[in-house]
Amino acid sequence: MMTQSIRKTRNPEQTRSDLLRAAYTEILESGFQAASLERILANTSVSKGALYHHFSTKRDLGLAVIEEVIAPQLATRWFAPFTEHDDPLASLQRILEEKIKMADESVIRYGCPLNNLIQEMSPLDEGFRHGLQQILDRWVEVMASALADGQLARKVRADVEPEEVALFIVAAIEGCVGLGKNAQSVEAYQRCLRQLQLYVKSLAA
């Protein structure tokens, strides 16, 4: 099991944080619909009353995981690197290379938490679909902006359409994770990302 017990605390903010982290792991391992509030409570030592003080329903907890855990996680992993370098293609290549090198069994066992929820919940719940779409829209927006800045810096080809290319890259990244998960193959996941690296290289001015 990925989950580990989290020390109980009476600090309301810490309690909320503990619940969100435990819920995130439970949803990643079991999916939202099969996620167990009992297991979440057991892994936090938080009372049921405290849980419902912060989240009225399991759905509210799931939506909070999207907004307060998955979205910031994505921002750290995929958005922040574009602010650290003036060449968006170099930044993207470094992220992809890191993903390739760090790929392990957890990637193909659990997949991408964002994509998992998209597949499971978007057809069933408009609130989930909207929250997940906001993350995708922001991801594409950040990448498109970085590519446009790269064109101004003459790092990215002038004929590249930033929004279209950003949309494709995001879709390809999520597709690589899904392919590797379904094939239960780290190698397939890595091979897919290497092909994406070649595509990114072709965007250089």
Side-chain angles (χ1 to χ4, degrees):
M1 290 287 292
M2 291 175 60
T3 51
Q4 296 179 348
S5 293
I6 302 171
R7 178 182 291 183
K8 181 179 178 181
T9 175
R10 294 182 179 180
N11 181 295
E13 291 184 5
Q14 187 62 50
T15 297
R16 181 183 178 87
S17 177
D18 289 347
L19 286 168
L20 285 169
R21 287 188 289 119
Y24 167 80
T25 301
E26 174 68 11
I27 292 168
L28 183 63
E29 292 182 348
S30 303
F32 176 75
Q33 294 178 86
S36 166
L37 293 179
E38 286 72 23
R39 283 194 296 267
I40 292 170
L41 292 174
N43 286 312
T44 57
S45 298
V46 172
S47 70
K48 186 173 290 188
L51 168 65
Y52 286 114
H53 171 74
H54 290 280
F55 308 102
S56 299
T57 64
K58 178 181 172 182
R59 179 178 183 272
D60 288 343
L61 177 59
L63 292 173
V65 167
I66 292 172
E67 181 179 353
E68 300 179 43
V69 181
I70 295 177
Q73 187 181 81
L74 191 74
T76 299
R77 293 177 180 176
W78 286 99
F79 302 174
F82 288 115
T83 68
E84 300 166 0
H85 200 283
D86 63 355
D87 185 345
L89 301 183
S91 296
L92 188 53
Q93 292 285 24
R94 282 199 298 272
I95 297 171
L96 293 173
E97 187 61 31
E98 181 181 359
K99 294 292 182 184
I100 291 169
K101 289 181 177 178
M102 295 184 66
D104 58 19
E105 294 299 318
S106 68
V107 174
I108 62 170
R109 180 178 179 185
Y110 299 111
C112 168
L114 175 65
N115 197 27
N116 291 347
L117 283 171
I118 289 171
Q119 297 297 324
E120 180 188 7
M121 295 304 298
S122 287
L124 304 177
D125 188 293
E126 179 60 22
F128 273 81
R129 190 202 67 77
H130 179 71
L132 295 164
Q133 187 62 47
Q134 283 188 314
I135 296 176
L136 288 173
D137 289 344
R138 179 59 179 159
W139 194 355
V140 172
E141 178 186 358
V142 168
M143 193 174 297
S145 178
L147 291 170
D149 289 343
Q151 288 178 319
L152 294 176
R154 297 185 179 180
K155 301 288 187 179
V156 177
R157 292 195 338 250
D159 64 323
V160 166
E161 297 184 28
E163 290 186 9
E164 302 300 319
V165 168
L167 181 66
F168 172 75
I169 291 174
V170 169
I173 291 165
E174 292 297 283
C176 287
V177 179
L179 183 150
K181 181 181 179 181
N182 193 69
Q184 286 295 286
S185 170
V186 173
E187 181 187 7
Y189 169 66
Q190 293 171 320
R191 285 165 52 203
C192 186
L193 288 182
R194 288 193 183 100
Q195 291 304 308
L196 184 54
Q197 283 185 310
L198 293 176
Y199 171 73
V200 171
K201 185 178 181 180
S202 75
L203 303 175

mmCIF file with all atom_site columns, all heavy atoms in Angstrom, residues 174-190:
data_model
loop_
_atom_site.group_PDB
_atom_site.id
_atom_site.type_symbol
_atom_site.label_atom_id
_atom_site.label_alt_id
_atom_site.label_comp_id
_atom_site.label_asym_id
_atom_site.label_entity_id
_atom_site.label_seq_id
_atom_site.pdbx_PDB_ins_code
_atom_site.Cartn_x
_atom_site.Cartn_y
_atom_site.Cartn_z
_atom_site.occupancy
_atom_site.B_iso_or_equiv
_atom_site.pdbx_formal_charge
_atom_site.auth_seq_id
_atom_site.auth_comp_id
_atom_site.auth_asym_id
_atom_site.auth_atom_id
_atom_site.pdbx_PDB_model_num
ATOM 1   N N   . GLU A 1 174 ? -0.602 12.736 -21.690 1.00 0.00 ? 174 GLU A N   1
ATOM 2   C CA  . GLU A 1 174 ? -1.626 11.928 -21.025 1.00 0.00 ? 174 GLU A CA  1
ATOM 3   C C   . GLU A 1 174 ? -1.809 10.588 -21.734 1.00 0.00 ? 174 GLU A C   1
ATOM 4   O O   . GLU A 1 174 ? -2.037 9.559  -21.086 1.00 0.00 ? 174 GLU A O   1
ATOM 5   C CB  . GLU A 1 174 ? -2.948 12.691 -20.975 1.00 0.00 ? 174 GLU A CB  1
ATOM 6   C CG  . GLU A 1 174 ? -2.920 13.898 -20.061 1.00 0.00 ? 174 GLU A CG  1
ATOM 7   C CD  . GLU A 1 174 ? -2.669 13.500 -18.616 1.00 0.00 ? 174 GLU A CD  1
ATOM 8   O OE1 . GLU A 1 174 ? -3.597 13.012 -17.949 1.00 0.00 ? 174 GLU A OE1 1
ATOM 9   O OE2 . GLU A 1 174 ? -1.521 13.652 -18.158 1.00 0.00 ? 174 GLU A OE2 1
ATOM 10  N N   . GLY A 1 175 ? -1.690 10.605 -23.050 1.00 0.00 ? 175 GLY A N   1
ATOM 11  C CA  . GLY A 1 175 ? -1.813 9.363  -23.815 1.00 0.00 ? 175 GLY A CA  1
ATOM 12  C C   . GLY A 1 175 ? -0.699 8.387  -23.521 1.00 0.00 ? 175 GLY A C   1
ATOM 13  O O   . GLY A 1 175 ? -0.928 7.171  -23.442 1.00 0.00 ? 175 GLY A O   1
ATOM 14  N N   . CYS A 1 176 ? 0.508  8.884  -23.333 1.00 0.00 ? 176 CYS A N   1
ATOM 15  C CA  . CYS A 1 176 ? 1.643  8.018  -23.006 1.00 0.00 ? 176 CYS A CA  1
ATOM 16  C C   . CYS A 1 176 ? 1.432  7.312  -21.677 1.00 0.00 ? 176 CYS A C   1
ATOM 17  O O   . CYS A 1 176 ? 1.727  6.123  -21.531 1.00 0.00 ? 176 CYS A O   1
ATOM 18  C CB  . CYS A 1 176 ? 2.935  8.827  -22.959 1.00 0.00 ? 176 CYS A CB  1
ATOM 19  S SG  . CYS A 1 176 ? 3.558  9.362  -24.576 1.00 0.00 ? 176 CYS A SG  1
ATOM 20  N N   . VAL A 1 177 ? 0.910  8.054  -20.711 1.00 0.00 ? 177 VAL A N   1
ATOM 21  C CA  . VAL A 1 177 ? 0.640  7.450  -19.401 1.00 0.00 ? 177 VAL A CA  1
ATOM 22  C C   . VAL A 1 177 ? -0.431 6.376  -19.532 1.00 0.00 ? 177 VAL A C   1
ATOM 23  O O   . VAL A 1 177 ? -0.296 5.265  -18.997 1.00 0.00 ? 177 VAL A O   1
ATOM 24  C CB  . VAL A 1 177 ? 0.204  8.502  -18.372 1.00 0.00 ? 177 VAL A CB  1
ATOM 25  C CG1 . VAL A 1 177 ? -0.082 7.839  -17.032 1.00 0.00 ? 177 VAL A CG1 1
ATOM 26  C CG2 . VAL A 1 177 ? 1.259  9.576  -18.205 1.00 0.00 ? 177 VAL A CG2 1
ATOM 27  N N   . GLY A 1 178 ? -1.506 6.699  -20.242 1.00 0.00 ? 178 GLY A N   1
ATOM 28  C CA  . GLY A 1 178 ? -2.582 5.738  -20.418 1.00 0.00 ? 178 GLY A CA  1
ATOM 29  C C   . GLY A 1 178 ? -2.138 4.502  -21.168 1.00 0.00 ? 178 GLY A C   1
ATOM 30  O O   . GLY A 1 178 ? -2.517 3.372  -20.817 1.00 0.00 ? 178 GLY A O   1
ATOM 31  N N   . LEU A 1 179 ? -1.308 4.686  -22.190 1.00 0.00 ? 179 LEU A N   1
ATOM 32  C CA  . LEU A 1 179 ? -0.803 3.557  -22.961 1.00 0.00 ? 179 LEU A CA  1
ATOM 33  C C   . LEU A 1 179 ? 0.049  2.641  -22.085 1.00 0.00 ? 179 LEU A C   1
ATOM 34  O O   . LEU A 1 179 ? -0.105 1.419  -22.101 1.00 0.00 ? 179 LEU A O   1
ATOM 35  C CB  . LEU A 1 179 ? 0.011  4.077  -24.149 1.00 0.00 ? 179 LEU A CB  1
ATOM 36  C CG  . LEU A 1 179 ? 0.571  3.059  -25.143 1.00 0.00 ? 179 LEU A CG  1
ATOM 37  C CD1 . LEU A 1 179 ? 0.667  3.691  -26.525 1.00 0.00 ? 179 LEU A CD1 1
ATOM 38  C CD2 . LEU A 1 179 ? 1.960  2.557  -24.719 1.00 0.00 ? 179 LEU A CD2 1
ATOM 39  N N   . GLY A 1 180 ? 0.952  3.253  -21.313 1.00 0.00 ? 180 GLY A N   1
ATOM 40  C CA  . GLY A 1 180 ? 1.814  2.462  -20.446 1.00 0.00 ? 180 GLY A CA  1
ATOM 41  C C   . GLY A 1 180 ? 1.028  1.723  -19.383 1.00 0.00 ? 180 GLY A C   1
ATOM 42  O O   . GLY A 1 180 ? 1.316  0.563  -19.066 1.00 0.00 ? 180 GLY A O   1
ATOM 43  N N   . LYS A 1 181 ? 0.012  2.394  -18.831 1.00 0.00 ? 181 LYS A N   1
ATOM 44  C CA  . LYS A 1 181 ? -0.813 1.773  -17.792 1.00 0.00 ? 181 LYS A CA  1
ATOM 45  C C   . LYS A 1 181 ? -1.581 0.589  -18.349 1.00 0.00 ? 181 LYS A C   1
ATOM 46  O O   . LYS A 1 181 ? -1.628 -0.482 -17.734 1.00 0.00 ? 181 LYS A O   1
ATOM 47  C CB  . LYS A 1 181 ? -1.769 2.807  -17.198 1.00 0.00 ? 181 LYS A CB  1
ATOM 48  C CG  . LYS A 1 181 ? -2.659 2.261  -16.097 1.00 0.00 ? 181 LYS A CG  1
ATOM 49  C CD  . LYS A 1 181 ? -3.606 3.336  -15.558 1.00 0.00 ? 181 LYS A CD  1
ATOM 50  C CE  . LYS A 1 181 ? -4.527 2.781  -14.474 1.00 0.00 ? 181 LYS A CE  1
ATOM 51  N NZ  . LYS A 1 181 ? -5.463 3.814  -13.976 1.00 0.00 ? 181 LYS A NZ  1
ATOM 52  N N   . ASN A 1 182 ? -2.209 0.755  -19.507 1.00 0.00 ? 182 ASN A N   1
ATOM 53  C CA  . ASN A 1 182 ? -2.996 -0.339 -20.073 1.00 0.00 ? 182 ASN A CA  1
ATOM 54  C C   . ASN A 1 182 ? -2.109 -1.500 -20.504 1.00 0.00 ? 182 ASN A C   1
ATOM 55  O O   . ASN A 1 182 ? -2.480 -2.669 -20.338 1.00 0.00 ? 182 ASN A O   1
ATOM 56  C CB  . ASN A 1 182 ? -3.817 0.152  -21.260 1.00 0.00 ? 182 ASN A CB  1
ATOM 57  C CG  . ASN A 1 182 ? -4.871 -0.846 -21.663 1.00 0.00 ? 182 ASN A CG  1
ATOM 58  O OD1 . ASN A 1 182 ? -5.828 -1.067 -20.942 1.00 0.00 ? 182 ASN A OD1 1
ATOM 59  N ND2 . ASN A 1 182 ? -4.689 -1.469 -22.822 1.00 0.00 ? 182 ASN A ND2 1
ATOM 60  N N   . ALA A 1 183 ? -0.925 -1.194 -21.038 1.00 0.00 ? 183 ALA A N   1
ATOM 61  C CA  . ALA A 1 183 ? 0.007  -2.241 -21.452 1.00 0.00 ? 183 ALA A CA  1
ATOM 62  C C   . ALA A 1 183 ? 0.763  -2.832 -20.268 1.00 0.00 ? 183 ALA A C   1
ATOM 63  O O   . ALA A 1 183 ? 1.426  -3.862 -20.412 1.00 0.00 ? 183 ALA A O   1
ATOM 64  C CB  . ALA A 1 183 ? 1.011  -1.678 -22.463 1.00 0.00 ? 183 ALA A CB  1
ATOM 65  N N   . GLN A 1 184 ? 0.653  -2.167 -19.122 1.00 0.00 ? 184 GLN A N   1
ATOM 66  C CA  . GLN A 1 184 ? 1.430  -2.558 -17.933 1.00 0.00 ? 184 GLN A CA  1
ATOM 67  C C   . GLN A 1 184 ? 2.904  -2.680 -18.296 1.00 0.00 ? 184 GLN A C   1
ATOM 68  O O   . GLN A 1 184 ? 3.577  -3.660 -17.983 1.00 0.00 ? 184 GLN A O   1
ATOM 69  C CB  . GLN A 1 184 ? 0.891  -3.855 -17.337 1.00 0.00 ? 184 GLN A CB  1
ATOM 70  C CG  . GLN A 1 184 ? -0.427 -3.693 -16.586 1.00 0.00 ? 184 GLN A CG  1
ATOM 71  C CD  . GLN A 1 184 ? -0.279 -2.814 -15.345 1.00 0.00 ? 184 GLN A CD  1
ATOM 72  O OE1 . GLN A 1 184 ? 0.283  -3.237 -14.343 1.00 0.00 ? 184 GLN A OE1 1
ATOM 73  N NE2 . GLN A 1 184 ? -0.771 -1.586 -15.435 1.00 0.00 ? 184 GLN A NE2 1
ATOM 74  N N   . SER A 1 185 ? 3.399  -1.629 -18.964 1.00 0.00 ? 185 SER A N   1
ATOM 75  C CA  . SER A 1 185 ? 4.770  -1.643 -19.469 1.00 0.00 ? 185 SER A CA  1
ATOM 76  C C   . SER A 1 185 ? 5.429  -0.288 -19.263 1.00 0.00 ? 185 SER A C   1
ATOM 77  O O   . SER A 1 185 ? 5.031  0.703  -19.887 1.00 0.00 ? 185 SER A O   1
ATOM 78  C CB  . SER A 1 185 ? 4.781  -2.000 -20.963 1.00 0.00 ? 185 SER A CB  1
ATOM 79  O OG  . SER A 1 185 ? 6.069  -1.802 -21.526 1.00 0.00 ? 185 SER A OG  1
ATOM 80  N N   . VAL A 1 186 ? 6.440  -0.255 -18.403 1.00 0.00 ? 186 VAL A N   1
ATOM 81  C CA  . VAL A 1 186 ? 7.225  0.960  -18.225 1.00 0.00 ? 186 VAL A CA  1
ATOM 82  C C   . VAL A 1 186 ? 7.943  1.296  -19.524 1.00 0.00 ? 186 VAL A C   1
ATOM 83  O O   . VAL A 1 186 ? 8.041  2.462  -19.924 1.00 0.00 ? 186 VAL A O   1
ATOM 84  C CB  . VAL A 1 186 ? 8.240  0.787  -17.076 1.00 0.00 ? 186 VAL A CB  1
ATOM 85  C CG1 . VAL A 1 186 ? 9.191  1.989  -16.998 1.00 0.00 ? 186 VAL A CG1 1
ATOM 86  C CG2 . VAL A 1 186 ? 7.524  0.601  -15.744 1.00 0.00 ? 186 VAL A CG2 1
ATOM 87  N N   . GLU A 1 187 ? 8.408  0.268  -20.207 1.00 0.00 ? 187 GLU A N   1
ATOM 88  C CA  . GLU A 1 187 ? 9.132  0.482  -21.461 1.00 0.00 ? 187 GLU A CA  1
ATOM 89  C C   . GLU A 1 187 ? 8.246  1.157  -22.503 1.00 0.00 ? 187 GLU A C   1
ATOM 90  O O   . GLU A 1 187 ? 8.698  2.070  -23.215 1.00 0.00 ? 187 GLU A O   1
ATOM 91  C CB  . GLU A 1 187 ? 9.649  -0.846 -22.008 1.00 0.00 ? 187 GLU A CB  1
ATOM 92  C CG  . GLU A 1 187 ? 10.436 -0.689 -23.314 1.00 0.00 ? 187 GLU A CG  1
ATOM 93  C CD  . GLU A 1 187 ? 10.811 -2.007 -23.941 1.00 0.00 ? 187 GLU A CD  1
ATOM 94  O OE1 . GLU A 1 187 ? 10.365 -3.062 -23.444 1.00 0.00 ? 187 GLU A OE1 1
ATOM 95  O OE2 . GLU A 1 187 ? 11.529 -1.983 -24.955 1.00 0.00 ? 187 GLU A OE2 1
ATOM 96  N N   . ALA A 1 188 ? 6.998  0.734  -22.612 1.00 0.00 ? 188 ALA A N   1
ATOM 97  C CA  . ALA A 1 188 ? 6.089  1.352  -23.579 1.00 0.00 ? 188 ALA A CA  1
ATOM 98  C C   . ALA A 1 188 ? 5.873  2.824  -23.247 1.00 0.00 ? 188 ALA A C   1
ATOM 99  O O   . ALA A 1 188 ? 5.838  3.678  -24.146 1.00 0.00 ? 188 ALA A O   1
ATOM 100 C CB  . ALA A 1 188 ? 4.754  0.606  -23.583 1.00 0.00 ? 188 ALA A CB  1
ATOM 101 N N   . TYR A 1 189 ? 5.727  3.127  -21.973 1.00 0.00 ? 189 TYR A N   1
ATOM 102 C CA  . TYR A 1 189 ? 5.578  4.517  -21.519 1.00 0.00 ? 189 TYR A CA  1
ATOM 103 C C   . TYR A 1 189 ? 6.806  5.340  -21.898 1.00 0.00 ? 189 TYR A C   1
ATOM 104 O O   . TYR A 1 189 ? 6.691  6.447  -22.432 1.00 0.00 ? 189 TYR A O   1
ATOM 105 C CB  . TYR A 1 189 ? 5.359  4.519  -20.008 1.00 0.00 ? 189 TYR A CB  1
ATOM 106 C CG  . TYR A 1 189 ? 5.436  5.866  -19.337 1.00 0.00 ? 189 TYR A CG  1
ATOM 107 C CD1 . TYR A 1 189 ? 4.500  6.859  -19.596 1.00 0.00 ? 189 TYR A CD1 1
ATOM 108 C CD2 . TYR A 1 189 ? 6.459  6.141  -18.413 1.00 0.00 ? 189 TYR A CD2 1
ATOM 109 C CE1 . TYR A 1 189 ? 4.569  8.091  -18.962 1.00 0.00 ? 189 TYR A CE1 1
ATOM 110 C CE2 . TYR A 1 189 ? 6.522  7.373  -17.776 1.00 0.00 ? 189 TYR A CE2 1
ATOM 111 C CZ  . TYR A 1 189 ? 5.587  8.335  -18.051 1.00 0.00 ? 189 TYR A CZ  1
ATOM 112 O OH  . TYR A 1 189 ? 5.659  9.553  -17.428 1.00 0.00 ? 189 TYR A OH  1
ATOM 113 N N   . GLN A 1 190 ? 7.980  4.789  -21.667 1.00 0.00 ? 190 GLN A N   1
ATOM 114 C CA  . GLN A 1 190 ? 9.223  5.493  -21.977 1.00 0.00 ? 190 GLN A CA  1
ATOM 115 C C   . GLN A 1 190 ? 9.398  5.687  -23.475 1.00 0.00 ? 190 GLN A C   1
ATOM 116 O O   . GLN A 1 190 ? 9.819  6.754  -23.927 1.00 0.00 ? 190 GLN A O   1
ATOM 117 C CB  . GLN A 1 190 ? 10.414 4.734  -21.392 1.00 0.00 ? 190 GLN A CB  1
ATOM 118 C CG  . GLN A 1 190 ? 10.449 4.728  -19.874 1.00 0.00 ? 190 GLN A CG  1
ATOM 119 C CD  . GLN A 1 190 ? 11.496 3.788  -19.318 1.00 0.00 ? 190 GLN A CD  1
ATOM 120 O OE1 . GLN A 1 190 ? 11.689 2.675  -19.832 1.00 0.00 ? 190 GLN A OE1 1
ATOM 121 N NE2 . GLN A 1 190 ? 12.177 4.210  -18.273 1.00 0.00 ? 190 GLN A NE2 1
#
